[in-house]
Amino acid sequence: MARPVTQYYTLVTTTAQRLALTLQIPGGAGGGPSNPGDTFPGQTKVLNAVTRTGTFMNGAVPNHQSTAPAGAHLRLSATGNMAIEPCDSNVRQPKVFYATDTVINASNARMALTGAHYRLLKDAGAGAQRTTLPGRVLWWVVPQHIATGTSGLTVQCDQNCNQVVNAVIGSDDLAPRFLAPLAVDPTSLYEYEVARNLLPGARPAPMGGVGTALTDSQRNIERPYGQMLQAPTAVFTNAVAGLGVNERAVPGVGEAFLTCSVLAFAPGTVLPPTPGSDIDYSRAGYPVFESGAVWSSHFAGVVAQDGTDVVTLENHARTYEAGAHPNTVGLYFQMYDTDTTPLGATQSWHTMWGNSFRTHTTRRRPYRSHPPTSPPPSARRPSPTP
């Protein structure tokens, strides 16, 4: 039986590509400092030439800059029902995306069911911002905080990614979701137990102990796990697929991504570690000692879905950015592909964030029961053989 044909997202970067797709952006506005109705607003990082640190702030306010519509690049989802300005989130973070009424309505219905604090708010009126393709209209969408009524560039939000996820999926009591049962050793942090269960052959002991025994047990798990990330075997790849983690994590609206660092430390280290004792075994030439602080995790809640593409609403702790950060700074959209074939995996959440974390990725859902996404994420497409 022939393998089903899989469609992939489309990057539109030239005028010729727009013409070929008959893609139009009628009434586009913006280019420079952002105004609330601009077509492609985003928050853009400014590098301090003296301290060599970056910030998304311009003094006491966010550094919102809009891309001119005529030159804007677009990423279209696989079936063309969503679009976003493709950005490296370390440099620029989109404040809007575009979606059809069908996508918007399905997302809002799901978020209402889960008790989310946010909804998707589309532009309206005669001059509404939109992107058109033959037979469909993709509307300009911003997040709306339903309790405060704030939206767009001034929407109410938290700084920390886990707090944003709690608000996006309507729960602060989250549970990992695996495709197969996983018995987590009660003495371990679950991310180490996931990593340990993915390892082929004789597995190291669960994380535990005190003092150097604890950090030794962490290193005994992270070393072979990091090496597997560098050169995965078929057994390891099949284990990843069986649990539905890493590039195989496929959350739907009302669920979230979570990427966790699996940390290791130099022999003789006790917790809390001193700077520079954190070892990364997943990079070529291991062990590599980290020179500075590394985030231990990152969350993002899914707010829209089209085929194997999902849009997240996210933020992150901006500890190293200059200036005070009011609670309207930072919230942004991003699009990821959840297709697990090699091409799709290059734009997966795990690929884009895992390189920063040498980690595993899981999908999270609230502990309390809601009807599953329809169809269930794991049933949206057949998993290819690794």
Side-chain angles (χ1 to χ4, degrees):
M1 181 170 152
R3 179 178 171 179
V5 175
T6 303
Q7 291 183 303
Y8 298 102
Y9 62 87
T10 301
L11 288 176
V12 182
T13 61
T14 67
T15 301
Q17 288 175 309
R18 288 192 187 190
L19 291 172
L21 292 167
T22 320
L23 185 153
Q24 297 181 346
I25 307 174
S34 293
N35 293 304
D38 285 352
T39 308
F40 296 109
Q43 50 205 23
T44 303
K45 183 177 283 186
V46 178
L47 182 66
N48 185 311
V50 177
T51 64
R52 306 300 298 172
T53 58
T55 175
F56 286 92
M57 298 291 289
N58 181 6
V61 296
N63 186 42
H64 290 150
Q65 299 287 326
S66 292
T67 302
H73 295 178
L74 277 175
R75 174 176 166 174
L76 290 175
S77 59
T79 52
N81 294 312
M82 302 190 306
I84 197 169
E85 184 184 3
C87 299
D88 177 347
S89 59
N90 287 318
V91 179
R92 180 171 168 79
Q93 298 168 340
K95 303 294 285 188
V96 306
F97 77 104
Y98 288 77
T100 61
D101 279 320
T102 299
V103 169
I104 296 168
N105 293 339
S107 293
N108 283 336
R110 181 67 188 172
M111 287 192 284
L113 181 64
T114 64
H117 300 179
Y118 289 96
R119 299 290 187 272
L120 300 182
L121 179 66
K122 79 170 190 178
D123 205 1
Q129 293 288 336
R130 61 200 183 277
T131 297
T132 64
L133 290 159
R136 73 190 67 189
V137 177
L138 280 62
W139 298 101
W140 183 95
V141 174
V142 295
Q144 181 181 42
H145 192 279
I146 58 173
T148 64
T150 56
S151 62
L153 299 183
T154 58
V155 65
Q156 178 86 31
C157 67
D158 292 301
Q159 291 294 315
N160 293 338
C161 57
N162 58 309
Q163 293 173 315
V164 172
V165 161
N166 293 344
V168 168
I169 69 177
S171 175
D172 59 2
D173 198 7
L174 308 182
R177 183 174 184 180
F178 304 111
L179 297 183
L182 177 66
V184 178
D185 185 276
T187 64
S188 301
L189 292 176
Y190 94 92
E191 56 263 35
Y192 285 87
E193 197 67 357
V194 172
R196 195 175 75 89
N197 276 270
L198 291 173
L199 294 173
R203 293 171 180 160
M207 192 187 83
V210 296
T212 57
L214 175 60
T215 54
D216 286 346
S217 70
Q218 290 177 293
R219 188 171 58 260
N220 291 340
I221 295 170
E222 204 282 331
R223 182 193 292 115
Y225 179 71
Q227 293 167 358
M228 277 292 112
L229 293 178
Q230 278 199 72
T233 64
V235 174
F236 178 80
T237 302
N238 284 331
V240 167
L243 281 183
V245 297
N246 292 0
E247 64 273 12
R248 297 300 187 102
V250 187
V253 177
E255 297 180 323
F257 290 105
L258 168 62
T259 289
C260 293
S261 291
V262 183
L263 300 173
F265 302 100
T269 301
V270 296
L271 301 180
T274 57
S277 61
D278 183 7
I279 306 175
D280 185 357
Y281 287 96
S282 69
R283 302 183 191 179
Y286 59 82
V288 176
F289 284 83
E290 296 287 350
S291 59
V294 178
W295 285 348
S296 61
S297 62
H298 184 52
F299 293 77
V302 175
V303 295
Q305 177 186 337
D306 180 33
T308 62
D309 292 295
V310 296
V311 169
T312 58
L313 186 61
E314 54 191 280
N315 200 1
H316 54 79
R318 299 171 185 273
T319 309
Y320 296 103
E321 295 175 22
H325 295 104
N327 60 4
T328 56
V329 177
L331 209 60
Y332 65 96
F333 292 113
Q334 190 59 279
M335 186 186 290
Y336 303 97
D337 195 346
T338 62
D339 189 275
T340 58
T341 55
L343 180 58
T346 62
Q347 292 293 326
S348 72
W349 164 275
H350 183 72
T351 299
M352 297 175 74
W353 282 103
N355 289 336
S356 300
F357 287 85
R358 77 268 194 208
T359 65
H360 73 264
T361 293
T362 63
R363 102 186 191 236
R364 307 278 280 192
R365 62 178 176 183
Y367 269 117
R368 71 175 185 266
S369 177
H370 291 298
T373 52
S374 180
S378 59
R380 286 202 285 268
R381 48 167 171 68
S383 295
T385 301

